[in-house]
């Protein structure tokens, strides 16, 4: 079974530029998550999709971050414009459903973003 | 904020059991205890979870105290590949959401 795919793996941009990350979840998984992991900290949930609808985006900085999951499969996360503090690893995860209270989340390898 | 407390780091000798503690004194009745780990430069990986009873799978064992205020993850025979940050997370129930803390960096030494 193929895992969660993310691209690119690394990205370097200058502040005020825009950037987009792509995620392809495990086939058949209804729920998709984007996390931000700053160096030395645990991952922080940015947004959760159930199929193509948003379940939780309470920690997404909506003035600069946006995400979409068209057709309920793959997803993109965009930052525009980027700030220095956005330097982090962006992790995508998926799970079969979010209705089960014990759903395992499967994580991709992440995209390491450096903002100069 | 994370609802768990873990030591920032631990060491273990290769081949010995690694016992990673976690305090979760404010856990509610329908919340589970999850353990994930993150090897350097990889995404987190699910290990095990439990509600009340002790659990065991091919990777580890989870021991939950009777009052559910703390738990221990046991890796029975640690190898060098088990060196990672281990996260203890409380969640699930009616609000299924994983909130990660800083975890414990386990270093397995040869």
């Amino acid at each position: 079974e193929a895992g969660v795919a993310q691209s690119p793996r690394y990205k370097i941009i200058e502040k005020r530029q825009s950037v987009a990350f792509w995620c392809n979840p495990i086939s058949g998984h209804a729920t998709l998550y984007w996390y931000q992991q700053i160096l030395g900290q645990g991952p922080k949930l940015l947004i959760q999709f159930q199929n193509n609808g948003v379940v939780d985006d309470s920690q997404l900085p909506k003035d600069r971050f946006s995400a979409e999951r068209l057709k309920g499969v793959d997803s993109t996360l965009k930052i525009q414009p980027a700030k220095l503090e956005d330097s982090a690893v962006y992790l995508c995860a998926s799970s079969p459903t979010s209705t089960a209270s014990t759903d395992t989340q499967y994580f991709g390898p992440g995209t390491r973003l450096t903002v100069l | 904020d994370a609802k768990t407390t873990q030591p920032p780091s631990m060491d273990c000798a290769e081949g010995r059991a690694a016992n990673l503690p976690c305090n979760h004194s404010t856990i509610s009745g329908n919340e589970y205890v999850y353990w994930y780990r993150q090897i350097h430069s990889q995404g987190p990986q699910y290990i095990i979870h439990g509600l009340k009873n002790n659990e065991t799978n091919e990777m580890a064992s989870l021991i939950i105290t009777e009052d559910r205020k703390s738990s221990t993850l046991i890796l029975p025979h640690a190898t060098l590949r088990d060196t990672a940050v281990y996260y203890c997370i409380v969640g699930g129930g009616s609000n299924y959401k994983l909130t990660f803390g800083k975890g414990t960096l386990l270093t397995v030494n040869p």
Side-chain angles (χ1 to χ4, degrees):
Chain A
E1 177 181 83
V4 176
Q6 290 188 247
S7 67
R9 291 296 314 276
Y10 305 92
K11 189 73 176 178
I12 301 174
I13 62 173
E14 295 192 350
K15 60 183 179 183
R16 291 187 288 274
Q17 287 186 323
S18 62
V19 64
F21 312 125
W22 175 81
C23 172
N24 190 23
I26 293 173
S27 178
H29 279 194
T31 307
L32 185 146
Y33 311 80
W34 282 102
Y35 289 83
Q36 179 192 59
Q37 186 171 25
I38 293 172
L39 186 65
Q41 299 181 19
K44 181 183 82 171
L45 179 68
L46 292 176
I47 189 167
Q48 176 184 345
F49 291 94
Q50 172 79 6
N51 296 312
N52 61 350
V54 175
V55 174
D56 183 350
D57 63 357
S58 57
Q59 297 195 90
L60 186 73
K62 299 180 185 63
D63 57 334
R64 297 183 301 105
F65 285 64
S66 65
E68 60 182 10
R69 190 184 184 198
L70 299 177
K71 300 180 182 179
V73 182
D74 55 354
S75 175
T76 56
L77 176 69
K78 297 179 182 178
I79 307 174
Q80 182 179 8
K83 293 185 175 182
L84 297 177
E85 58 262 35
D86 298 332
S87 293
V89 175
Y90 291 84
L91 294 159
C92 180
S94 69
S95 63
T97 72
S98 69
T99 56
S101 60
T102 59
D103 247 9
T104 297
Q105 293 188 23
Y106 298 85
F107 286 79
T111 296
R112 181 176 297 277
L113 173 67
T114 302
V115 182
L116 303 176
Chain B
D1 291 333
K3 297 188 285 186
T4 62
T5 303
Q6 299 178 253
S9 64
M10 294 182 63
D11 286 321
C12 177
E14 188 177 20
R16 304 298 294 268
N19 297 280
L20 291 90
C22 180
N23 289 322
H24 32 79
S25 58
T26 61
I27 191 171
S28 61
N30 62 350
E31 288 184 314
Y32 289 74
V33 179
Y34 300 86
W35 283 84
Y36 281 73
R37 74 178 182 183
Q38 187 171 23
I39 295 170
H40 183 62
S41 296
Q42 297 183 22
Q45 174 193 24
Y46 166 82
I47 301 173
I48 198 167
H49 74 276
L51 183 63
K52 296 180 181 178
N53 299 321
N54 299 336
E55 303 287 345
T56 296
N57 63 20
E58 65 279 4
M59 290 183 68
S61 294
L62 174 60
I63 309 298
I64 303 174
T65 58
E66 191 170 344
D67 62 7
R68 303 213 316 129
K69 293 184 177 181
S70 65
S71 61
T72 301
L73 179 74
I74 301 172
L75 307 179
H77 305 286
T79 71
L80 299 180
R81 288 174 294 181
D82 292 322
T83 292
V85 177
Y86 287 76
Y87 296 100
C88 170
I89 302 163
V90 166
S94 61
N95 179 24
Y96 182 63
K97 185 175 176 178
L98 297 180
T99 301
F100 289 80
K102 292 188 176 182
T104 296
L105 173 60
L106 174 69
T107 302
V108 181
N109 300 304

